[in-house]
Amino acid sequence: MNQVGLRMYPSKPSKVYFYATCLLDVLDPNGGLAAIELLEREGIEVIWVEKQSCCGQPAYTSGYQDQAKTVALSQMALFPNNYPVVVMSGSCAGMMFKHYADLFAASEHAEKAQAFSQRVFEFSEFLARVCRANLTDTGEASSVVLHTSCSGRREMGIHTSSEALLAQLDNVELKQAAYDTECCGFGGSFALRHAEISQAMVEDKASHLKLSGADYLVSADWGCLANINGHLAYRGEASMFKGQHLASFLLKRTKPASEAKA
Amino acid sequence: MSVQHYQASQFKRQASESLADQQLRQNFRGAMDYLQKKRKDAFSDEDELAQLRLHAENIRQRCLSKLPQLLEQLEQNCQANGIQVHWAEDTRQAQQLIADLIQQAGGKKVVKGKSMVTEEIELNHHLESLGIECVESDMGEYIVQLAEETPSHIIMPAIHKNKQQVADLFLEHIKDFNYTLSVDKLIQTGREALRNKFKQADVGISGVNFAVAETGTLCLVENEGNGRMTTTVPPLHIAVTGIEKVVEHLSDVPPLFSILTRSATGQHITTYFNMISGPRRSPERDGPQQVHLVLLDNGRSQAYADDVLRKTLQCIRCGACMNHCPVYTRVGGHAYGTTYPGPIGKIISPHLQGLEQTSDLVTASSLCGACEEVCPVNIPIPSLLQRLRHDAKMPAESGISSLKGQASAASFSEHNAWRFWAWLSTHPKIYHLATRMVLTLARYIPLPMGAWTRCRSKPELASQSFHQQMKQRANKGASL
Ligand code: SF4
């Protein structure tokens, strides 16, 4: 066990469950495959449970607790063994880590939810804090800017683990965007219900990220990426500067030089 | 005088107008950046801050847990000090009570210190309708009063205006004003205009930051000295506050005061801190002859009755949540159409005005958590918002009493859509058939997808989902 921030981390396990999340499933399967490759490189067996769907967050944040509970219970049941569950998005991980326990507080499922939440790790958190991965950069000199989702940052503290991983890449300069802790304006149904406010937020976010001057944009959350990339594409800027999942970026940067093409 | 009127139920339209006002957005962004930095500099040590917040939270929770008893104690001790205590259930009662006190004393001219509760009960408007002049003595409040507006921030009422706008306003309203853009000179001008009002006033009305039960003392935090003038110069002083502002001990005040000013403006202490413990006593030669305290409920007891929502009342009105809110920063305070804007406004207004009026406010958040992160008393604002979203759509669960406007935003089709979504998400076979679930969801929920594409290209869907690719991978593995 080692403690970072508020959380105690176990030592590296031999097996993990993989939780892809519903957005990555349809928007960026390659990000998921990259993450699996990185985990396997750490000598970990990655278990894919096909029946998984969505963590329940969309219903939860919209005020539909009952529906969120139904889905949360079904998801927890899919991961019965005491292996860590590695989640590919900060906000879904936050949902499973923090809000499953809230959802089932003082119910018959309280204990189960509590125990499950302790097994939940966001991908970059797991790679940095549990695997304590050592990455070797094989790429050309370039620069990157990181966007961390609000729930990932505030509920899981993953900006530090994402930064720690990027900092291991010798040839990559990590650029800082102005207002980097500010929300990108996604917030699930917020982006639709309050479209104009959401627009004002994503416009600013995309501009600040671009103004950082970085060559690449990475994030460990497809909620924010769908929002930011969607807006960059709308502006006609996505071909130059398009966000990718942190896992894809890390994998490309650490391929043996002969395979690298990032 | 009519005050420009915004309404919570018109939030979307008002927000849209604010977003289009580039000057307004610039004013807010600049001011919020400044206030964020001030707060950050005031709390350089993260661990110390965490401890201070926990301490403040504990004090507020302890005091709230004994609220009925503390209010009784406050009343007794105030009365023992010669402060007369009055109770108002709602806006109308409070207006009437205060008007009666003024009229009984033959009052005609009122000066007011900064008080959000008197904004909540629209006191100026009411008194003016009775022919009583009511002048705001806080510089920011004075500016918004001249502009016939309401405050756009709970600490800095005129934060939406820049110095040019203030100078233009003074030119229009203050005789012999020498046009200037020097902030010092502008403040000097305002102060001189107000100085005369203090001399003429026969009533002073103020708010209260902390009402101390054990001593019957009213504490007032301010920077301009107008609070001191308002509460000491006129012969009649009326303090108005919400019932949640009571604290148990005098020793509860310093920790709350210190975290309040640092969170609000980054000051370690304000220029003035007033402790009012009664009217003039002989042989004193100054101070008011009468002091009254009006305690207002106006929906607070609804929040109090619920274990979770009670946390709303921990608030010490520092404004840090709005200073750090990405929505507030962009739409400003008026768009909310409530007395209290920003995150605190979203969680308290449903109790003051009901969920029917405020259901758009509780959804107007990406739940980013910036507010909770800075709240000095650790109010879990995002989770309270989620709870209120639920209550706006669903009847109260058994054993929990209904809120005002409970289920007023219920939507049969939306509820069904979420039921369908939950069913789909728990039936993996069918879920896989509909892998492109996000789009499915968008089709069944009555949310316009056009809202997404107004500033974004359509999401590029992968040609094969992750599920499909993993299946192939497994098959490949098996055949190797
Ligand atoms: S909710 Fe918290 S941050 Fe907001 S005004 Fe109240 S005490 Fe300050």
Side-chain angles (χ1 to χ4, degrees), chain B residues 271-323:
Chain B
T271 321
Y272 292 84
F273 182 71
N274 307 284
M275 301 180 78
I276 297 152
S277 44
R280 174 192 306 195
R281 297 183 180 94
S282 65
E284 292 168 352
R285 299 183 52 196
D286 56 7
Q289 280 140 12
Q290 280 183 46
V291 178
H292 295 262
L293 171 65
V294 178
L295 289 159
L296 175 72
D297 180 351
N298 201 25
R300 288 163 174 81
S301 52
Q302 172 179 290
Y304 189 74
D306 186 288
D307 283 352
V308 176
L309 299 172
R310 177 181 291 186
K311 295 195 171 105
T312 312
L313 303 180
Q314 284 167 216
C315 174
I316 54 174
R317 302 284 190 270
C318 70
C321 54
M322 53 199 78
N323 299 346

